[in-house]
Amino acid sequence: MVSTTKAVIGITAAGASMISAKSIVQFDLHKHQGSINSKSVVSKDSSKDLSFELLNQQSFFSVDVSIGTPVQNPVTLLIDTGSSDMWVNGASVCLPGTYSNSSAFVSKKKRYASSVLEGFELTATYASTYFDQVSSDFIAPTSTGVAAVATGINCSTYGAFNPDLSSSWKQLNLGEPFGIEYVDTSQARGVYGTDSLSINGVSVPNTTFAVASFSNSSQGVLGISLPRDESLFSDFTNGTTYNNLPQTLKADGLISKVSYSLFLNSLCDQSGSLLFGAVNPDWYTGELNTVPLVNIYPGFSDVPIEFDITVNGVGIADFPTLGDRKTITKTNFPGVLDSGTTLMQLPPDLAFALADELDFVWKEAFGYFVGGCPSTEQLRDSSIVFNIGGINYYAPLNNFIYTTSSPDVCAFVVSPFESNGHFNNADDYSKYNNYAILGDVLLTSLFVVYDLESYEISLGVANYEGYASGSSDV
């Protein structure tokens, strides 16, 4: 473990040091909310269904990106540290009347007035469908005994891109067509190409991305993980990578090292930031503690391909019936720090053990652990504790408890890990089953530096007051 003091405010290729403001690119994050879809659970004591609708709202962070020459209407893309490809829906997948390229692009206000800080403003868009189920905007024909085929999606909310209308679009042959599928079974297929991006008036020319000719999600994705997490490489047959957005920012001289820091702020707040090439010391307290990424695919890659770190233990703190601290496990397991996932998945045995200690039981039809609602004091004072690199990080219990339409019923939104992968034998499954997806319910309590060149993660305790002060010193 490496400790980095708060005097270090920048990251360069030579290590942590002071850097020029010209090497910084900042995306401002803003949160928007939408409700999670309700599910029904059949009560053993009654013949009627109990419709537990989760009233809390989940999110994804997104950015409006304008593409092409001339610049087309912006498309809204999810910012995802759990994947590496940027892809947009092509206009050809849109339902009639849901795609338009007639409106003028309106630039958003930059966070900083300084001309040397390129401010890319993001909008955090909440959608119940992403990473939970296939988008409700996916339209399939009426069942006729033949497998459903996509006939189009609704592009009116998040937009689409028409490469035929861009003179700067260049289709690429990277050896394989584009294809990707996510944990929720949403997927996209299409072609690779390059074009100019405009984000809040900042131009990123010759960016490689994919245009989907098939998609079952109305939401495109801007993946910012490691190059070997790109779909071309992750099928383990092609082995090809390309410069995704973080790599392109360095190649274009906008940042000096392929790294960024992520501050999501508290779940109840409406702002956050993604800062490429630097660290803002006002956004965390104490020291940054650096841990190496772990390579969970040593048979396919000699370096890590995603942001997996080792979690050394999990416990519960300050829950009245458990005392000051209750250790649930000291068994190491890998987990990915994934901003594209709102909630959390843990190894099944651990998820059930946590829920049991908190008096929640699994409801398969509901898809969550269900139980009585903790008191206001318990939600305020209790935490789920994650030991990473020998340091305990506390995430408020309130982050993990969702209210429902029933005043006496709450959900514990840690789920047993499930993979959409395919395994050749039981040993492969057992290794991957001991895995976690660490989503925003934890990340909001942390300040995270993703170092894509050194294959390291640096963690700090999020400083909400420091961020709210609005300091632009980095």
Side-chain angles (χ1 to χ4, degrees), residues 67-393:
I67 310 171
T69 307
V71 173
Q72 299 184 22
N73 286 345
V75 292
T76 301
L77 302 179
L78 176 148
I79 292 289
D80 185 16
T81 62
S83 67
S84 299
D85 295 287
M86 171 181 164
W87 66 269
V88 301
N89 278 313
S92 63
V93 306
C94 301
L95 287 169
T98 67
Y99 167 74
S100 172
N101 193 40
S102 59
S103 301
F105 172 64
V106 179
S107 295
K108 293 184 179 289
K109 183 178 179 181
K110 295 181 180 180
R111 180 176 175 83
Y112 298 124
S114 172
S115 60
V116 297
L117 282 177
E118 305 290 4
F120 291 176
E121 183 172 338
L122 290 104
T123 301
T125 308
Y126 279 64
S128 61
T129 57
Y130 208 83
F131 290 103
D132 278 321
Q133 63 180 39
V134 176
S135 172
S136 59
D137 289 323
F138 166 63
I139 306 296
T142 303
S143 176
T144 58
V146 180
V149 178
T151 59
I153 61 172
N154 189 333
C155 298
S156 60
T157 302
Y158 301 123
F161 170 65
N162 189 340
D164 293 336
L165 299 181
S166 174
S167 62
S168 51
W169 164 259
K170 296 179 181 179
Q171 186 169 324
L172 298 177
N173 181 0
L174 299 182
E176 296 282 346
F178 171 72
I180 195 166
E181 181 176 353
Y182 300 93
V183 173
D184 67 342
T185 73
S186 61
Q187 56 185 283
R189 298 195 298 270
V191 298
Y192 292 97
T194 63
D195 211 331
S196 295
L197 307 186
S198 178
I199 308 175
N200 288 5
V202 177
S203 178
V204 188
N206 299 319
T207 303
T208 300
F209 61 98
V211 178
S213 55
F214 169 87
S215 167
N216 64 3
S217 173
S218 59
Q219 177 73 52
V221 175
L222 179 49
I224 54 174
S225 187
L226 296 156
R228 291 193 181 187
D229 203 18
E230 293 164 357
S231 60
L232 273 180
F233 189 92
S234 60
D235 64 8
F236 305 130
T237 58
N238 189 313
T240 299
T241 63
Y242 61 88
N243 281 351
N244 63 1
L245 180 65
Q247 306 289 329
T248 301
L249 290 175
K250 180 181 178 181
D252 288 351
L254 292 173
I255 57 176
S256 59
K257 186 176 183 180
V258 187
S259 63
Y260 52 82
S261 51
L262 181 66
F263 182 90
L264 293 185
N265 220 331
S266 66
L267 286 180
C268 61
D269 212 302
Q270 298 300 308
S271 63
S273 286
L274 176 63
L275 183 62
F276 283 88
V279 172
N280 189 322
D282 291 332
W283 296 354
Y284 63 93
T285 60
E287 296 182 341
L288 290 180
N289 296 289
T290 301
V291 296
L293 296 180
V294 295
N295 184 7
I296 66 172
Y297 303 104
F300 302 107
S301 175
D302 58 345
V303 295
I305 70 172
E306 58 189 18
F307 294 128
D308 294 306
I309 61 172
T310 299
V311 180
N312 305 113
V314 176
I316 302 172
D318 299 318
F319 196 73
T321 60
L322 302 177
D324 291 340
R325 184 172 301 171
K326 172 75 173 183
T327 299
I328 306 302
T329 185
K330 292 183 178 179
T331 301
N332 293 348
F333 60 90
V336 61
L337 298 171
D338 183 6
S339 68
T341 298
T342 305
L343 306 180
M344 179 178 291
Q345 294 186 25
L346 291 177
D349 289 347
L350 175 56
F352 276 90
L354 274 172
D356 183 63
E357 293 289 350
L358 297 171
D359 294 325
F360 286 84
V361 296
W362 179 254
K363 293 293 185 181
E364 185 68 33
F366 191 47
Y368 296 101
F369 293 99
V370 175
C373 297
S375 67
T376 301
E377 291 76 15
Q378 290 170 336
L379 292 174
R380 181 192 64 209
D381 298 334
S382 304
S383 302
I384 307 295
V385 186
F386 297 84
N387 186 282
I388 301 170
I391 303 297
N392 288 332
Y393 296 97

Side-chain angles (χ1 to χ4, degrees), residues 436-457:
I437 301 177
L438 308 174
D440 295 346
V441 288
L442 173 61
L443 293 177
T444 55
S445 298
L446 304 176
F447 174 78
V448 186
V449 181
Y450 297 79
D451 188 336
L452 287 70
E453 293 188 11
S454 300
Y455 298 104
E456 294 177 337
I457 292 288

